[in-house]
Each structure stands twice: as structure tokens, then as C-alpha cells.
Amino acid sequence: MAEGGGVAGPGRAAPLGPGDPARVGPYELLGRLGAGGMGTVYLGRGGDGEQVAVKVLRPELAGDPSFLRMFRHEVAAARRVVGFCTARVIDAELSGALPYLVTEYVDGVRLDRAIAASGRLPATDLAGLAVGMAAALTAIHGAGVVHRDLKPSNVLLSYFGPKVIDFGIARALDASAASTATGRLMGSPGWMAPEQFAQAPVTAAVDIFVWGSLVAFAGTGRRPFGQGTVVEIVYRIRHEPPDLGGLEGRLRELVEGCMDKDPERRPSARTLLLELLGDHADPDPQAAATQLLQRSWSPPPPAADAAPAADPVPVPAPAAPPPAPPPPARPGRPRRRRAVWRLVLLGVVAGAAALAVTTLDPLDRSPAGDPGPATVAPTGPTTATSAPSPPPLCELLGDLGAGGTLGGDPADQGFTAPAEAAGSWLPVPAALPRALGDHGFQSGCTRTWPGPAGPVVASLFQFPSRDDALAMRGQLREDLGGRGVAPDRLPEVTGGELYLLERAGGGGQLVMFVCNERVLQLHLDAAGPDPDPLLVRLGQGANRRLSDRTGCPL
């Protein structure tokens, strides 16, 4: 069942029926998005006005203790997913009369409907789809989760890139239960790996196989194992090569490797992502993937309405998959329409940050990363033979645009040894100097203001290059993600990440972003589930100040 909204937009939700609730918890329900074996997905609206997808379990499942134990495990796993190219998990209530799961609502077109409407994707969009799905799987698998039900209806083509949705039958790799269900194999016929039919252990390799199937489907307009009965399709998946006619070059080689019958010979999601990025790979693969989508992604036109996707069914299924239409000639898109989409993407995606499923999403907010290197703005007169010198780090911090609201005289500490970096508020304080030392740290400055709730600390770290700065930020992000702390996007800050550290045993809240060859961190001793307004203001002011002084892109 499509958690992220398996329809083209809010207007496509069906009206609520007589038996549908008008409200679930704090969420107002606006319409139906889909229904399946586990329950019903509604388009909802939270108290802040944000539209969300609300999955409400069926009453008989809500009263099944063994199912609820499994579902709680699934929700906990989904919360760990950093949401890059995934639908972010927002909320869950599993103990009431109506257990429900709330995820980000993704306004997009299902992959199967896009292919049915317009035929195979053009080369640039196909590359974006391949990279986006690989990035999503990197986040999902990095959280110790296997999706297990990738299929065209669980991939949405949104305005900002592809999104992987619906973790309804995802399984955590560290689950105490067996990897496969006894006597009952869950999945969607035609979009499964060979080992799933042999009831072999389900590993992350099954998602890699289906990644190849989906790329082949999107690139050719045909199912890679054809049409027919479930028995016929299963036989082809287990014993015959896929139909990849129409795929060419390096992408075809990667698809072939991912669809190897032997799961041990398939690449990991991260290896696949790096292979796809090739020479454009960045020390921060998420930033590189985002930049690729900015350059090449253009969403397809909305597809016609169709019945919402249902939950996966046991195999064998009672009926064969519906036939797919032959690939029609793809109509040309007007240049003006494509240019408008590019402007939307450049203006919005560059500032969008995700990171869940770790995963996940699924969670769809991953840091966008900064655009390419910018020149340093001179601070004084220069000549043709003298390069401008960047301002001292401590001077760059300034008042961060806070207008003196912090009060008091700040204390500055400049340093050149990573071990002198203050990170006592992190879950593992040694993580900060370790990340600095691993990536060529050159110098730093920490400015500390006294505050009513504790000190406000701003730290600016200098590296040899922007790549080194991105790598340092990525390492610290991974360290926090491994402890269950995924970043939220900081509005109006390019690549801004905000961490609520108490979730992993740390203290307060942390903002972090990259400005050319520097990483800025802001820490505030503020507890609570929501970003502190002062910290948000400080981050936005710092972003503007550094942009004014050094050319850091906004």
C-alpha cells in the first residue's frame, strides 16, 4: 500500500467513505490514497498544515499482539532510515484502538503509470531514476533494513526526483525473527529476486536485484521477465536472463551485475551508487546525487488516474500481473516546460535536505549539499598579482546575524589541533576530533556566548578543499546516523542540517553546514522535540554572513 501517496497529487485522493474516520490522533483526514491487506492510507493534514500520508491498520490486525510486535519493529526500523530519495517517517501511534503510521506525503506520479502514459524514460531521467533509487537503498540498507517490496508502484516520480515509498513489509536485518516468513513468502510477483522463491535468507541483495528490474523496466518500457502466469514469470526470474534490449553502455552493465542470479555477486547499494556517479562522485555521495538530479531531472507529466496500489500478496498469487502496454513513442516535451522544471529544481532542490530510513526513509529529507566551489570575496584592495586572503576564522563568525541578542562578550579560541575541538555535547565526544583529523583539518575557531539555558557555541573549521569539508561533514553525519540521530533540514540554509542530539544520548541541538572549504557548527543547550527558534535564526544569519564575506552559495 502506498505510504507516500501513490497518486499524482492531493487532488487525486478519493473522498472519505461513510466508514472512514474524520480524524486520527492529531491528524485531520482529507481523503483516501489507497487500501490493501494491512489497512488504508489516507491523505492527512497535521496541526502545522503540512500534508501527510496516514496508514491506519485494519481492526483485526490492530488487535493481533504478534502482528503489532512485528509492526512496532518495522516502524522502529523505518525511523532509522535517513530520508534521501525516500518518504520520511514522521509519526506513529501503535498502542491505541486505531494504530497508525504517518509518513511524508510525496506528490508524484507512480513509475508504472508514468511508463504506461509516456513510454520509457529518456536517458537523462533514466540516469536520475537509477541514481535516486540507489541513493535511497544506500540509506535504507545503511539503517539495517531491507525493503523487500520494491516495485513500480512504490517508486514515485516527484518534482524533485524519484522517491522510494512504502515500508509496509520491510524487514530489519537485525530482527530476531527468521528472515523469511514460514510457509508464506511476501512480495509482488514479477518484482522479486530468485532467492525469494527458494525461501533462502532475505538480504539486502534482493533489493539490488529489483533495482535492476526497475531500471530495465523504466529504460525499455517492458517488464524484464515478460508477461504470463505467476508460474511462468517465477521460472524466468529463477532460470532465464532478463530482457534488457534497449539498455546500452555502462548502465546496462550495472543492471546485468545487479540482476545476477547469485546474490553474493551483486554489488552493495553504496558500491552501486558510486559506480553510477563515476567521475562525478563526491566524498559526500548524497550531495553528488542531489547535484546530478538538479542538472538532469525533469518530472514526467501527470499520468491518468488508476486504482491505488494494494499491499503485496502471498506468492503464488491468484492472478497474473496485469499486462503492460507496448511502449508508445514518447512525445517530445516543450522546451519551455522542461526549462520551468529546471528552474524549480535549481531553486528548491538545492535547498532541500532529507535524511532518514536512517532511511527513511523512509524519510525524504536529505541534505542537498552545496553547489560548486565559489571564489572567495576579497576583504580589501587587491592587485592582479595578489590573491585575496580570506578573513580570519574568528572574525568570520562575527555576531552571526543575531543582532546582538545573545548579549555578553564572546570568548574566542583559535586552534590547529583536532583534539582541541570542543564536542562534549555529542553522543561520542571523540567523534568530532576524529572526523576533523581524518580529512586534513587545518585550523579552527570556537566562539562561545553565555546564554540563559547554557552556552551558545559556534565553531568554524578550515580544510584544504571543499571536498575535504564535505567528507568531514559526511563522516560526522554517518556517526550520528548510526546512533539514530538523523538531520532535519534547516530552512533557508544551503545544505543546512539540524540534529536533536538527545535522541542518541547527546546534549542540546546542533546545526551544521558546509561553506566552500569550511564547516560551520552551531550548538545550543536547548532540549525538546522541536528546533530552537534562536538556533534556527543563528544558522540562517551565519549562512548569510559567510555568503557575504566569502562567496558561500545561498
Side-chain angles (χ1 to χ4, degrees):
M1 146 171 80
E3 290 181 334
V7 290
R12 304 291 179 93
L16 294 175
D20 291 323
R23 194 173 198 86
V24 174
Y27 300 96
E28 177 189 4
L29 302 186
L30 307 176
R32 274 176 168 248
L33 293 175
M38 286 179 62
T40 304
V41 181
Y42 297 96
L43 176 65
R45 180 164 52 212
D48 58 359
E50 180 183 10
Q51 289 186 329
V52 295
V54 183
K55 172 183 280 189
V56 179
L57 295 186
R58 287 167 42 193
E60 60 269 32
L61 293 178
D64 182 344
S66 61
F67 179 85
L68 283 179
R69 281 195 299 272
M70 180 275 291
F71 194 62
R72 286 191 181 96
H73 185 80
E74 301 302 331
V75 171
R79 285 185 182 276
R80 298 201 305 267
V81 175
V82 177
F84 183 67
C85 289
T86 60
R88 178 174 57 98
V89 172
I90 296 172
D91 193 8
E93 173 54 62
L94 306 179
S95 57
L98 281 179
Y100 62 85
L101 173 69
V102 182
T103 69
E104 175 188 8
Y105 176 78
V106 178
D107 185 3
V109 182
R110 283 174 24 179
L111 177 61
D112 54 344
R113 294 179 184 169
I115 298 301
S118 302
R120 64 185 185 180
L121 298 184
T124 53
D125 289 349
L126 181 62
L129 176 72
V131 168
M133 289 195 301
L137 292 179
T138 299
I140 292 167
H141 296 169
V145 174
V146 183
H147 190 293
R148 301 210 330 168
D149 194 37
L150 281 176
K151 56 187 175 183
S153 60
N154 279 343
V155 177
L156 299 183
L157 308 183
S158 78
Y159 300 134
F160 312 120
K163 303 283 185 181
V164 173
I165 64 169
D166 201 345
F167 286 70
I169 63 166
R171 290 290 182 270
L173 293 175
D174 57 359
S176 58
S179 297
T180 54
T182 303
R184 196 172 186 222
L185 189 62
M186 296 297 292
S188 299
W191 308 103
M192 296 172 69
E195 61 268 27
Q196 289 180 275
F197 300 108
Q199 296 202 12
V202 171
T203 69
V206 303
D207 291 343
I208 299 300
F209 185 93
V210 183
W211 175 92
S213 298
L214 291 173
V215 172
F217 172 64
T220 66
R222 304 184 304 275
R223 293 170 178 250
F225 294 102
Q227 306 293 335
T229 66
V230 171
V231 172
E232 291 170 335
I233 293 173
V234 169
Y235 179 85
R236 294 178 198 137
I237 290 174
R238 296 188 65 184
H239 302 291
E240 295 182 359
D243 175 9
L244 303 181
L247 286 183
E248 299 177 353
R250 180 58 178 157
L251 185 59
R252 175 167 180 147
E253 294 176 5
L254 289 174
V255 169
E256 288 175 338
C258 290
M259 298 186 74
D260 195 297
K261 306 296 185 187
D262 182 353
E264 296 293 329
R265 292 203 292 262
R266 298 172 205 153
S268 68
R270 182 176 177 82
T271 297
L272 175 61
L273 178 58
L274 292 174
E275 288 285 344
L276 286 164
L277 293 172
D279 293 339
H280 300 289
D282 191 287
D284 182 347
Q286 288 187 352
T290 301
Q291 289 168 10
L292 183 145
L293 289 172
Q294 291 172 5
R295 292 192 302 268
S296 64
W297 181 259
S298 60
D305 286 331
D311 283 328
V313 296
V315 178
R330 186 174 182 86
R333 296 181 188 162
R335 288 187 179 181
R336 180 176 178 80
R337 177 188 180 96
R338 194 174 186 96
V340 168
W341 282 123
R342 290 279 171 79
L343 289 174
V344 171
L345 288 169
L346 288 174
V348 181
V349 179
L355 212 275
V357 0
T358 265
T359 125
L360 277 142
D361 174 114
L363 328 160
D364 162 318
R365 283 187 194 166
S366 70
D370 297 299
T375 57
V376 176
T379 57
T382 60
T383 66
T385 59
S386 63
S389 300
L393 292 183
C394 290
E395 193 277 332
L396 273 177
L397 291 176
D399 66 0
L400 303 181
T405 57
L406 292 176
D409 293 328
D412 292 343
Q413 177 197 359
F415 53 91
T416 57
E420 297 179 66
S424 58
W425 26 263
L426 287 169
V428 178
L432 178 56
R434 183 168 57 242
L436 293 172
D438 288 349
H439 300 289
F441 166 75
Q442 295 177 322
S443 61
C445 180
T446 295
R447 172 165 286 199
T448 305
W449 290 264
V456 179
V457 181
S459 300
L460 195 60
F461 306 118
Q462 179 83 34
F463 295 88
S465 69
R466 176 175 173 272
D467 286 348
D468 295 309
L470 286 168
M472 177 268 169
R473 182 190 67 174
Q475 180 173 327
L476 193 58
R477 180 200 299 143
E478 289 181 7
D479 185 273
L480 289 169
R483 290 164 174 78
V485 182
D488 292 321
R489 188 177 85 81
L490 189 65
E492 300 178 32
V493 177
T494 302
E497 304 174 8
L498 189 146
Y499 297 83
L500 304 179
L501 297 171
E502 286 91 347
R503 296 174 181 172
Q509 301 180 8
L510 170 69
V511 160
M512 180 166 57
F513 65 86
V514 172
C515 173
N516 297 337
E517 69 278 10
R518 303 179 181 95
V519 174
L520 179 74
Q521 291 184 348
L522 301 169
H523 180 260
L524 187 66
D525 277 335
D530 300 314
D532 187 277
L534 174 60
L535 187 62
V536 173
R537 183 181 176 189
L538 289 173
Q540 293 169 341
N543 197 208
R544 289 192 296 269
R545 181 177 180 86
L546 289 174
S547 176
D548 292 342
R549 298 301 305 276
T550 70
C552 179
L554 292 175

